[in-house]
Amino acid sequence: MKLNKQAFTLIELLVVVLIIGILAGVAVPQYQKAVVKSRAGSMLALAASIAAANEVYYLANGQYAGQIRELDINVPNQCISLDSDGYESDTEGESFSCGKYWYLDNCARCNTVNLSYCPDKNTSWEECSRNREFRLSWGLKKSPNPGTWCFFYHNSKLGKEICSTFSGFEIRN
């Protein structure tokens, strides 16, 4: 008697589903990292532009700008100005929520521009500063610590990888 096999066995189907599950388990985290790196690149350009505009402002006025609107730069519509949380007055700094996970901070008091990635508990600047995974910082030329740094927090594996991606940033934990 000749059997004509026209269907898959249950074992064959389970093996295929298992292989797809393993591939998805590897691919999805890599995809998420690639998305964060891509968005970090575009936000990095904005923060670097703000830092450069602050240097021009300093040359013209002898001090860094307290508000980004004082600079000759346009902030994208996705960035919403926040009440100057964390500062003693509106003239000491300004922060923006940019999209779902990014916070941009022009800290006139400390002469830095900071870009923070906050995927969890990101309802306010205070929440972001406590829960961020990484922060890119530009210490302006007249600040006590000029230069560029990348800080990663809570031993974040993603933060460490992002910090190592961008050249020119000193990595700090």
Side-chain angles (χ1 to χ4, degrees):
M1 214 183 205
K2 203 175 191 183
L3 290 175
N4 196 1
K5 189 176 177 182
Q6 295 184 7
F8 296 109
T9 66
L10 182 58
I11 298 294
E12 290 171 329
L13 289 174
L14 287 174
V15 167
V16 169
V17 168
L18 179 66
I19 291 171
I20 291 171
I22 291 170
L23 290 174
V26 170
V28 169
Q30 294 302 320
Y31 171 75
Q32 290 172 333
K33 282 184 221 171
V35 168
V36 170
K37 286 179 185 180
S38 171
R39 291 187 181 148
S42 64
M43 293 303 299
L44 182 78
L46 173 61
S49 296
I50 291 171
N54 252 315
E55 295 297 351
V56 170
Y57 186 90
Y58 185 89
L59 290 173
N61 299 293
Q63 65 183 20
Y64 290 112
Q67 303 291 317
I68 291 179
R69 67 179 160 264
E70 297 174 49
L71 302 173
D72 188 22
I73 191 168
N74 291 325
V75 177
N77 291 337
Q78 74 180 41
C79 295
I80 300 164
S81 182
L82 302 172
D83 201 19
S84 294
D85 294 338
Y87 299 108
E88 294 172 11
S89 72
D90 287 343
T91 60
E92 290 194 52
E94 185 176 21
S95 58
F96 287 83
S97 172
C98 297
K100 192 172 181 181
Y101 303 123
W102 299 95
Y103 282 88
L104 180 66
D105 173 34
N106 181 48
C107 181
R109 176 182 61 215
C110 48
N111 298 330
T112 61
V113 176
N114 303 296
L115 175 63
S116 297
Y117 176 71
C118 310
D120 297 320
K121 298 180 182 176
N122 58 348
T123 57
S124 69
W125 174 249
E126 291 86 8
E127 286 292 324
C128 177
S129 64
R130 286 192 297 270
N131 298 299
R132 60 188 157 203
E133 288 207 24
F134 65 89
R135 180 184 77 192
L136 299 167
S137 294
W138 288 258
L140 302 174
K141 288 180 184 172
K142 298 297 179 182
S143 74
N145 298 307
T148 51
W149 304 282
C150 185
F151 299 89
F152 62 94
Y153 298 89
H154 317 293
N155 287 324
S156 166
K157 185 178 176 184
L158 174 64
K160 195 180 293 186
E161 286 183 33
I162 295 293
C163 286
S164 64
T165 298
F166 297 113
S167 63
F169 284 86
E170 183 181 331
I171 299 173
R172 295 188 179 176
N173 186 0

